[in-house]
PDB file of all heavy atoms in Angstrom:
ATOM      1  N   THR A   1     130.276  92.428 100.056  1.00 98.00           N
ATOM      2  CA  THR A   1     130.745  91.032  99.921  1.00 98.00           C
ATOM      3  C   THR A   1     130.789  90.411 101.299  1.00 98.00           C
ATOM      4  O   THR A   1     131.465  90.892 102.233  1.00 98.00           O
ATOM      5  CB  THR A   1     132.194  91.012  99.345  1.00 98.00           C
ATOM      6  OG1 THR A   1     132.173  91.699  98.069  1.00 98.00           O
ATOM      7  CG2 THR A   1     132.648  89.603  99.073  1.00 98.00           C
ATOM      8  N   ILE A   2     130.068  89.310 101.420  1.00 98.00           N
ATOM      9  CA  ILE A   2     130.012  88.581 102.724  1.00 98.00           C
ATOM     10  C   ILE A   2     131.181  87.642 102.761  1.00 98.00           C
ATOM     11  O   ILE A   2     131.375  86.866 101.768  1.00 98.00           O
ATOM     12  CB  ILE A   2     128.709  87.856 102.846  1.00 98.00           C
ATOM     13  CG1 ILE A   2     127.502  88.843 102.822  1.00 98.00           C
ATOM     14  CG2 ILE A   2     128.669  86.978 104.106  1.00 98.00           C
ATOM     15  CD1 ILE A   2     126.174  88.206 102.655  1.00 98.00           C
ATOM     16  N   ASN A   3     131.905  87.594 103.825  1.00 98.00           N
ATOM     17  CA  ASN A   3     133.009  86.619 104.007  1.00 98.00           C
ATOM     18  C   ASN A   3     132.349  85.346 104.523  1.00 98.00           C
ATOM     19  O   ASN A   3     132.334  84.356 103.818  1.00 98.00           O
ATOM     20  CB  ASN A   3     134.049  87.176 104.965  1.00 98.00           C
ATOM     21  CG  ASN A   3     135.219  86.253 105.129  1.00 98.00           C
ATOM     22  OD1 ASN A   3     135.555  85.474 104.227  1.00 98.00           O
ATOM     23  ND2 ASN A   3     135.848  86.294 106.302  1.00 98.00           N
ATOM     24  N   VAL A   4     131.817  85.393 105.729  1.00 98.00           N
ATOM     25  CA  VAL A   4     131.117  84.250 106.287  1.00 98.00           C
ATOM     26  C   VAL A   4     129.761  84.679 106.769  1.00 98.00           C
ATOM     27  O   VAL A   4     129.664  85.618 107.535  1.00 98.00           O
ATOM     28  CB  VAL A   4     131.917  83.617 107.524  1.00 98.00           C
ATOM     29  CG1 VAL A   4     131.105  82.501 108.185  1.00 98.00           C
ATOM     30  CG2 VAL A   4     133.301  83.155 107.051  1.00 98.00           C
ATOM     31  N   LEU A   5     128.653  84.065 106.315  1.00 98.00           N
ATOM     32  CA  LEU A   5     127.325  84.480 106.640  1.00 98.00           C
ATOM     33  C   LEU A   5     126.980  84.241 108.163  1.00 98.00           C
ATOM     34  O   LEU A   5     126.273  85.086 108.682  1.00 98.00           O
ATOM     35  CB  LEU A   5     126.314  83.757 105.717  1.00 98.00           C
ATOM     36  CG  LEU A   5     124.863  84.145 105.950  1.00 98.00           C
ATOM     37  CD1 LEU A   5     124.634  85.594 105.559  1.00 98.00           C
ATOM     38  CD2 LEU A   5     123.937  83.275 105.191  1.00 98.00           C
ATOM     39  N   GLY A   6     127.395  83.199 108.678  1.00 97.00           N
ATOM     40  CA  GLY A   6     127.038  82.913 110.081  1.00 97.00           C
ATOM     41  C   GLY A   6     125.542  82.927 110.285  1.00 97.00           C
ATOM     42  O   GLY A   6     124.826  82.236 109.534  1.00 97.00           O
ATOM     43  N   THR A   7     125.055  83.726 111.234  1.00 98.00           N
ATOM     44  CA  THR A   7     123.648  83.753 111.512  1.00 98.00           C
ATOM     45  C   THR A   7     122.984  84.978 110.794  1.00 98.00           C
ATOM     46  O   THR A   7     121.844  85.335 111.122  1.00 98.00           O
ATOM     47  CB  THR A   7     123.377  83.876 112.970  1.00 98.00           C
ATOM     48  OG1 THR A   7     123.987  85.058 113.490  1.00 98.00           O
ATOM     49  CG2 THR A   7     123.857  82.651 113.798  1.00 98.00           C
ATOM     50  N   GLY A   8     123.675  85.542 109.803  1.00 98.00           N
ATOM     51  CA  GLY A   8     123.094  86.676 109.062  1.00 98.00           C
ATOM     52  C   GLY A   8     121.904  86.239 108.174  1.00 98.00           C
ATOM     53  O   GLY A   8     121.756  85.063 107.906  1.00 98.00           O
ATOM     54  N   SER A   9     121.185  87.218 107.678  1.00 97.00           N
ATOM     55  CA  SER A   9     120.022  86.971 106.818  1.00 97.00           C
ATOM     56  C   SER A   9     120.478  86.504 105.456  1.00 97.00           C
ATOM     57  O   SER A   9     121.420  86.966 104.848  1.00 97.00           O
ATOM     58  CB  SER A   9     119.211  88.228 106.655  1.00 97.00           C
ATOM     59  OG  SER A   9     118.189  88.012 105.703  1.00 97.00           O
ATOM     60  N   THR A  10     119.753  85.505 104.944  1.00 97.00           N
ATOM     61  CA  THR A  10     120.004  84.981 103.569  1.00 97.00           C
ATOM     62  C   THR A  10     119.265  85.754 102.494  1.00 97.00           C
ATOM     63  O   THR A  10     119.432  85.554 101.330  1.00 97.00           O
ATOM     64  CB  THR A  10     119.633  83.506 103.454  1.00 97.00           C
ATOM     65  OG1 THR A  10     118.187  83.360 103.721  1.00 97.00           O
ATOM     66  CG2 THR A  10     120.420  82.654 104.410  1.00 97.00           C
ATOM     67  N   SER A  11     118.384  86.730 102.940  1.00 96.00           N
ATOM     68  CA  SER A  11     117.549  87.390 101.998  1.00 96.00           C
ATOM     69  C   SER A  11     117.393  88.900 102.115  1.00 96.00           C
ATOM     70  O   SER A  11     116.858  89.526 101.220  1.00 96.00           O
ATOM     71  CB  SER A  11     116.120  86.763 102.022  1.00 96.00           C
ATOM     72  OG  SER A  11     115.549  86.961 103.317  1.00 96.00           O
ATOM     73  N   ALA A  12     117.896  89.471 103.223  1.00 97.00           N
ATOM     74  CA  ALA A  12     117.649  90.900 103.487  1.00 97.00           C
ATOM     75  C   ALA A  12     118.899  91.656 103.837  1.00 97.00           C
ATOM     76  O   ALA A  12     119.716  91.134 104.621  1.00 97.00           O
ATOM     77  CB  ALA A  12     116.574  91.054 104.519  1.00 97.00           C
ATOM     78  N   ILE A  13     119.033  92.884 103.347  1.00 98.00           N
ATOM     79  CA  ILE A  13     120.112  93.757 103.692  1.00 98.00           C
ATOM     80  C   ILE A  13     119.488  94.957 104.517  1.00 98.00           C
ATOM     81  O   ILE A  13     118.516  95.514 104.075  1.00 98.00           O
ATOM     82  CB  ILE A  13     120.817  94.315 102.466  1.00 98.00           C
ATOM     83  CG1 ILE A  13     121.551  93.235 101.737  1.00 98.00           C
ATOM     84  CG2 ILE A  13     121.798  95.434 102.858  1.00 98.00           C
ATOM     85  CD1 ILE A  13     122.158  93.657 100.390  1.00 98.00           C
ATOM     86  N   SER A  14     120.036  95.207 105.657  1.00 97.00           N
ATOM     87  CA  SER A  14     119.557  96.290 106.489  1.00 97.00           C
ATOM     88  C   SER A  14     120.595  97.378 106.609  1.00 97.00           C
ATOM     89  O   SER A  14     121.689  97.299 106.033  1.00 97.00           O
ATOM     90  CB  SER A  14     119.226  95.748 107.877  1.00 97.00           C
ATOM     91  OG  SER A  14     120.321  95.118 108.531  1.00 97.00           O
ATOM     92  N   GLY A  15     120.244  98.416 107.344  1.00 97.00           N
ATOM     93  CA  GLY A  15     121.198  99.584 107.578  1.00 97.00           C
ATOM     94  C   GLY A  15     120.911 100.803 106.730  1.00 97.00           C
ATOM     95  O   GLY A  15     121.698 101.700 106.700  1.00 97.00           O
ATOM     96  N   LEU A  16     119.748 100.812 106.034  1.00 97.00           N
ATOM     97  CA  LEU A  16     119.440 101.969 105.249  1.00 97.00           C
ATOM     98  C   LEU A  16     119.513 103.296 106.060  1.00 97.00           C
ATOM     99  O   LEU A  16     119.203 103.254 107.226  1.00 97.00           O
ATOM    100  CB  LEU A  16     118.017 101.833 104.611  1.00 97.00           C
ATOM    101  CG  LEU A  16     117.884 100.801 103.530  1.00 97.00           C
ATOM    102  CD1 LEU A  16     116.426 100.553 103.186  1.00 97.00           C
ATOM    103  CD2 LEU A  16     118.667 101.231 102.303  1.00 97.00           C
ATOM    104  N   PRO A  17     119.912 104.385 105.410  1.00 97.00           N
ATOM    105  CA  PRO A  17     120.117 105.628 106.117  1.00 97.00           C
ATOM    106  C   PRO A  17     118.808 106.290 106.530  1.00 97.00           C
ATOM    107  O   PRO A  17     118.772 107.128 107.433  1.00 97.00           O
ATOM    108  CB  PRO A  17     120.894 106.511 105.134  1.00 97.00           C
ATOM    109  CG  PRO A  17     120.543 105.941 103.805  1.00 97.00           C
ATOM    110  CD  PRO A  17     120.345 104.520 103.978  1.00 97.00           C
ATOM    111  N   PHE A  18     117.670 106.008 105.883  1.00 96.00           N
ATOM    112  CA  PHE A  18     116.388 106.570 106.185  1.00 96.00           C
ATOM    113  C   PHE A  18     115.298 105.467 106.035  1.00 96.00           C
ATOM    114  O   PHE A  18     115.421 104.613 105.193  1.00 96.00           O
ATOM    115  CB  PHE A  18     116.025 107.700 105.164  1.00 96.00           C
ATOM    116  CG  PHE A  18     117.014 108.849 105.230  1.00 96.00           C
ATOM    117  CD1 PHE A  18     118.104 108.872 104.388  1.00 96.00           C
ATOM    118  CD2 PHE A  18     116.882 109.856 106.141  1.00 96.00           C
ATOM    119  CE1 PHE A  18     119.014 109.911 104.375  1.00 96.00           C
ATOM    120  CE2 PHE A  18     117.780 110.929 106.190  1.00 96.00           C
ATOM    121  CZ  PHE A  18     118.848 110.913 105.300  1.00 96.00           C
ATOM    122  N   SER A  19     114.285 105.569 106.896  1.00 95.00           N
ATOM    123  CA  SER A  19     113.186 104.595 106.806  1.00 95.00           C
ATOM    124  C   SER A  19     112.253 105.014 105.676  1.00 95.00           C
ATOM    125  O   SER A  19     111.982 106.183 105.443  1.00 95.00           O
ATOM    126  CB  SER A  19     112.363 104.635 108.114  1.00 95.00           C
ATOM    127  OG  SER A  19     113.123 104.213 109.189  1.00 95.00           O
ATOM    128  N   PRO A  20     111.814 103.983 104.904  1.00 96.00           N
ATOM    129  CA  PRO A  20     110.875 104.283 103.818  1.00 96.00           C
ATOM    130  C   PRO A  20     109.488 104.707 104.296  1.00 96.00           C
ATOM    131  O   PRO A  20     109.076 104.368 105.363  1.00 96.00           O
ATOM    132  CB  PRO A  20     110.802 102.922 103.066  1.00 96.00           C
ATOM    133  CG  PRO A  20     111.136 101.908 104.095  1.00 96.00           C
ATOM    134  CD  PRO A  20     112.063 102.559 105.060  1.00 96.00           C
ATOM    135  N   ALA A  21     108.820 105.454 103.434  1.00 95.00           N
ATOM    136  CA  ALA A  21     107.423 105.894 103.700  1.00 95.00           C
ATOM    137  C   ALA A  21     106.526 104.659 103.755  1.00 95.00           C
ATOM    138  O   ALA A  21     106.726 103.696 102.979  1.00 95.00           O
ATOM    139  CB  ALA A  21     106.986 106.892 102.645  1.00 95.00           C
ATOM    140  N   SER A  22     105.540 104.751 104.613  1.00 92.00           N
ATOM    141  CA  SER A  22     104.590 103.657 104.755  1.00 92.00           C
ATOM    142  C   SER A  22     103.827 103.477 103.483  1.00 92.00           C
ATOM    143  O   SER A  22     103.292 104.425 102.851  1.00 92.00           O
ATOM    144  CB  SER A  22     103.611 103.928 105.911  1.00 92.00           C
ATOM    145  OG  SER A  22     102.707 102.937 106.026  1.00 92.00           O
ATOM    146  N   GLY A  23     103.682 102.221 103.024  1.00 92.00           N
ATOM    147  CA  GLY A  23     102.884 101.890 101.856  1.00 92.00           C
ATOM    148  C   GLY A  23     103.483 102.133 100.522  1.00 92.00           C
ATOM    149  O   GLY A  23     102.866 101.927  99.529  1.00 92.00           O
ATOM    150  N   ILE A  24     104.818 102.538 100.500  1.00 91.00           N
ATOM    151  CA  ILE A  24     105.484 102.777  99.262  1.00 91.00           C
ATOM    152  C   ILE A  24     106.817 102.036  99.219  1.00 91.00           C
ATOM    153  O   ILE A  24     107.773 102.344  99.961  1.00 91.00           O
ATOM    154  CB  ILE A  24     105.764 104.294  99.044  1.00 91.00           C
ATOM    155  CG1 ILE A  24     104.515 105.111  99.223  1.00 91.00           C
ATOM    156  CG2 ILE A  24     106.430 104.535  97.675  1.00 91.00           C
ATOM    157  CD1 ILE A  24     104.784 106.645  99.190  1.00 91.00           C
ATOM    158  N   ASN A  25     106.880 101.009  98.347  1.00 93.00           N
ATOM    159  CA  ASN A  25     108.121 100.295  98.135  1.00 93.00           C
ATOM    160  C   ASN A  25     109.003 101.102  97.176  1.00 93.00           C
ATOM    161  O   ASN A  25     108.493 101.821  96.376  1.00 93.00           O
ATOM    162  CB  ASN A  25     107.912  98.919  97.549  1.00 93.00           C
ATOM    163  CG  ASN A  25     107.277  97.934  98.504  1.00 93.00           C
ATOM    164  OD1 ASN A  25     107.341  98.078  99.703  1.00 93.00           O
ATOM    165  ND2 ASN A  25     106.712  96.840  97.993  1.00 93.00           N
ATOM    166  N   GLY A  26     110.299 100.914  97.267  1.00 95.00           N
ATOM    167  CA  GLY A  26     111.242 101.556  96.325  1.00 95.00           C
ATOM    168  C   GLY A  26     111.897 100.473  95.487  1.00 95.00           C
ATOM    169  O   GLY A  26     112.203  99.410  96.004  1.00 95.00           O
ATOM    170  N   TYR A  27     112.096 100.735  94.230  1.00 95.00           N
ATOM    171  CA  TYR A  27     112.655  99.707  93.370  1.00 95.00           C
ATOM    172  C   TYR A  27     113.982 100.089  92.742  1.00 95.00           C
ATOM    173  O   TYR A  27     114.270 101.273  92.571  1.00 95.00           O
ATOM    174  CB  TYR A  27     111.683  99.363  92.237  1.00 95.00           C
ATOM    175  CG  TYR A  27     110.370  98.799  92.845  1.00 95.00           C
ATOM    176  CD1 TYR A  27     109.326  99.673  93.114  1.00 95.00           C
ATOM    177  CD2 TYR A  27     110.247  97.501  93.160  1.00 95.00           C
ATOM    178  CE1 TYR A  27     108.149  99.193  93.740  1.00 95.00           C
ATOM    179  CE2 TYR A  27     109.116  97.001  93.751  1.00 95.00           C
ATOM    180  CZ  TYR A  27     108.092  97.837  94.058  1.00 95.00           C
ATOM    181  OH  TYR A  27     106.921  97.373  94.607  1.00 95.00           O
ATOM    182  N   GLY A  28     114.792  99.116  92.402  1.00 96.00           N
ATOM    183  CA  GLY A  28     116.113  99.404  91.817  1.00 96.00           C
ATOM    184  C   GLY A  28     116.624  98.203  91.023  1.00 96.00           C
ATOM    185  O   GLY A  28     115.885  97.324  90.606  1.00 96.00           O
ATOM    186  N   ALA A  29     117.913  98.199  90.842  1.00 95.00           N
ATOM    187  CA  ALA A  29     118.553  97.175  89.999  1.00 95.00           C
ATOM    188  C   ALA A  29     119.869  96.753  90.638  1.00 95.00           C
ATOM    189  O   ALA A  29     120.496  97.530  91.412  1.00 95.00           O
ATOM    190  CB  ALA A  29     118.835  97.733  88.649  1.00 95.00           C
ATOM    191  N   THR A  30     120.286  95.555  90.376  1.00 95.00           N
ATOM    192  CA  THR A  30     121.620  95.131  90.756  1.00 95.00           C
ATOM    193  C   THR A  30     122.547  95.290  89.553  1.00 95.00           C
ATOM    194  O   THR A  30     122.203  95.077  88.402  1.00 95.00           O
ATOM    195  CB  THR A  30     121.609  93.645  91.149  1.00 95.00           C
ATOM    196  OG1 THR A  30     121.054  92.862  90.122  1.00 95.00           O
ATOM    197  CG2 THR A  30     120.777  93.446  92.446  1.00 95.00           C
ATOM    198  N   GLY A  31     123.730  95.787  89.826  1.00 93.00           N
ATOM    199  CA  GLY A  31     124.657  96.040  88.761  1.00 93.00           C
ATOM    200  C   GLY A  31     125.633  94.837  88.599  1.00 93.00           C
ATOM    201  O   GLY A  31     126.189  94.584  87.524  1.00 93.00           O
ATOM    202  N   TYR A  32     125.820  94.074  89.667  1.00 96.00           N
ATOM    203  CA  TYR A  32     126.727  92.919  89.658  1.00 96.00           C
ATOM    204  C   TYR A  32     126.391  91.993  90.799  1.00 96.00           C
ATOM    205  O   TYR A  32     126.011  92.455  91.885  1.00 96.00           O
ATOM    206  CB  TYR A  32     128.203  93.396  89.806  1.00 96.00           C
ATOM    207  CG  TYR A  32     129.193  92.325  89.836  1.00 96.00           C
ATOM    208  CD1 TYR A  32     129.653  91.704  88.683  1.00 96.00           C
ATOM    209  CD2 TYR A  32     129.707  91.892  91.060  1.00 96.00           C
ATOM    210  CE1 TYR A  32     130.562  90.656  88.672  1.00 96.00           C
ATOM    211  CE2 TYR A  32     130.622  90.820  91.074  1.00 96.00           C
ATOM    212  CZ  TYR A  32     131.044  90.205  89.940  1.00 96.00           C
ATOM    213  OH  TYR A  32     131.955  89.159  89.917  1.00 96.00           O
ATOM    214  N   PHE A  33     126.544  90.700  90.572  1.00 96.00           N
ATOM    215  CA  PHE A  33     126.403  89.748  91.674  1.00 96.00           C
ATOM    216  C   PHE A  33     127.297  88.518  91.351  1.00 96.00           C
ATOM    217  O   PHE A  33     127.543  88.190  90.187  1.00 96.00           O
ATOM    218  CB  PHE A  33     124.973  89.304  91.890  1.00 96.00           C
ATOM    219  CG  PHE A  33     124.275  88.718  90.678  1.00 96.00           C
ATOM    220  CD1 PHE A  33     124.334  87.337  90.353  1.00 96.00           C
ATOM    221  CD2 PHE A  33     123.490  89.538  89.826  1.00 96.00           C
ATOM    222  CE1 PHE A  33     123.676  86.806  89.295  1.00 96.00           C
ATOM    223  CE2 PHE A  33     122.844  89.030  88.730  1.00 96.00           C
ATOM    224  CZ  PHE A  33     122.959  87.631  88.425  1.00 96.00           C
ATOM    225  N   SER A  34     127.811  87.910  92.447  1.00 97.00           N
ATOM    226  CA  SER A  34     128.639  86.716  92.283  1.00 97.00           C
ATOM    227  C   SER A  34     128.565  85.886  93.533  1.00 97.00           C
ATOM    228  O   SER A  34     128.239  86.428  94.645  1.00 97.00           O
ATOM    229  CB  SER A  34     130.060  87.055  91.991  1.00 97.00           C
ATOM    230  OG  SER A  34     130.647  87.707  93.065  1.00 97.00           O
ATOM    231  N   GLY A  35     128.837  84.614  93.446  1.00 97.00           N
ATOM    232  CA  GLY A  35     128.922  83.773  94.658  1.00 97.00           C
ATOM    233  C   GLY A  35     127.602  83.580  95.395  1.00 97.00           C
ATOM    234  O   GLY A  35     127.655  83.328  96.600  1.00 97.00           O
ATOM    235  N   LEU A  36     126.468  83.753  94.742  1.00 96.00           N
ATOM    236  CA  LEU A  36     125.202  83.658  95.427  1.00 96.00           C
ATOM    237  C   LEU A  36     124.935  82.276  95.881  1.00 96.00           C
ATOM    238  O   LEU A  36     125.488  81.280  95.374  1.00 96.00           O
ATOM    239  CB  LEU A  36     124.060  84.138  94.492  1.00 96.00           C
ATOM    240  CG  LEU A  36     124.173  85.584  94.045  1.00 96.00           C
ATOM    241  CD1 LEU A  36     122.958  86.005  93.192  1.00 96.00           C
ATOM    242  CD2 LEU A  36     124.384  86.594  95.155  1.00 96.00           C
ATOM    243  N   ALA A  37     124.029  82.128  96.855  1.00 94.00           N
ATOM    244  CA  ALA A  37     123.697  80.793  97.424  1.00 94.00           C
ATOM    245  C   ALA A  37     122.848  79.987  96.482  1.00 94.00           C
ATOM    246  O   ALA A  37     122.738  78.768  96.652  1.00 94.00           O
ATOM    247  CB  ALA A  37     122.963  81.002  98.727  1.00 94.00           C
ATOM    248  N   VAL A  38     122.268  80.594  95.458  1.00 91.00           N
ATOM    249  CA  VAL A  38     121.443  79.896  94.476  1.00 91.00           C
ATOM    250  C   VAL A  38     121.835  80.429  93.100  1.00 91.00           C
ATOM    251  O   VAL A  38     122.287  81.549  92.924  1.00 91.00           O
ATOM    252  CB  VAL A  38     119.881  80.084  94.709  1.00 91.00           C
ATOM    253  CG1 VAL A  38     119.475  79.469  96.003  1.00 91.00           C
ATOM    254  CG2 VAL A  38     119.524  81.572  94.661  1.00 91.00           C
ATOM    255  N   ASN A  39     121.593  79.626  92.065  1.00 91.00           N
ATOM    256  CA  ASN A  39     121.800  80.038  90.702  1.00 91.00           C
ATOM    257  C   ASN A  39     120.722  80.919  90.165  1.00 91.00           C
ATOM    258  O   ASN A  39     119.533  80.496  90.251  1.00 91.00           O
ATOM    259  CB  ASN A  39     122.032  78.861  89.746  1.00 91.00           C
ATOM    260  CG  ASN A  39     123.319  78.090  90.063  1.00 91.00           C
ATOM    261  OD1 ASN A  39     124.302  78.688  90.502  1.00 91.00           O
ATOM    262  ND2 ASN A  39     123.266  76.799  89.950  1.00 91.00           N
ATOM    263  N   VAL A  40     121.024  82.077  89.701  1.00 91.00           N
ATOM    264  CA  VAL A  40     120.057  82.971  89.104  1.00 91.00           C
ATOM    265  C   VAL A  40     120.575  83.537  87.780  1.00 91.00           C
ATOM    266  O   VAL A  40     121.827  83.640  87.648  1.00 91.00           O
ATOM    267  CB  VAL A  40     119.572  84.123  90.032  1.00 91.00           C
ATOM    268  CG1 VAL A  40     119.011  83.604  91.322  1.00 91.00           C
ATOM    269  CG2 VAL A  40     120.746  85.042  90.330  1.00 91.00           C
ATOM    270  N   ILE A  41     119.640  83.881  86.864  1.00 90.00           N
ATOM    271  CA  ILE A  41     120.097  84.566  85.670  1.00 90.00           C
ATOM    272  C   ILE A  41     119.790  86.053  85.626  1.00 90.00           C
ATOM    273  O   ILE A  41     120.342  86.798  84.820  1.00 90.00           O
ATOM    274  CB  ILE A  41     119.559  83.850  84.373  1.00 90.00           C
ATOM    275  CG1 ILE A  41     117.993  83.926  84.389  1.00 90.00           C
ATOM    276  CG2 ILE A  41     120.032  82.418  84.247  1.00 90.00           C
ATOM    277  CD1 ILE A  41     117.401  83.440  83.060  1.00 90.00           C
ATOM    278  N   ALA A  42     118.852  86.488  86.528  1.00 91.00           N
ATOM    279  CA  ALA A  42     118.561  87.865  86.657  1.00 91.00           C
ATOM    280  C   ALA A  42     118.227  88.141  88.107  1.00 91.00           C
ATOM    281  O   ALA A  42     117.639  87.336  88.833  1.00 91.00           O
ATOM    282  CB  ALA A  42     117.351  88.227  85.779  1.00 91.00           C
TER     283      ALA A  42
END
């Protein structure tokens, strides 16, 4: 939960514990979201 965005990214979360393999994206799902900067349904 972001309190104040300031100069933070509006689209990316960093800090992953391991770097991903080159050429392979990993996919997932969001379980909950609120207070986003834009309205989305999914």
Side-chain angles (χ1 to χ4, degrees):
T1 304
I2 299 168
N3 183 30
V4 176
L5 183 64
T7 60
S9 175
T10 60
S11 60
I13 295 175
S14 59
L16 288 169
F18 299 93
S19 297
S22 179
I24 305 172
N25 288 341
Y27 299 93
T30 54
Y32 177 81
F33 57 88
S34 67
L36 301 182
V38 296
N39 291 327
V40 299
I41 61 170

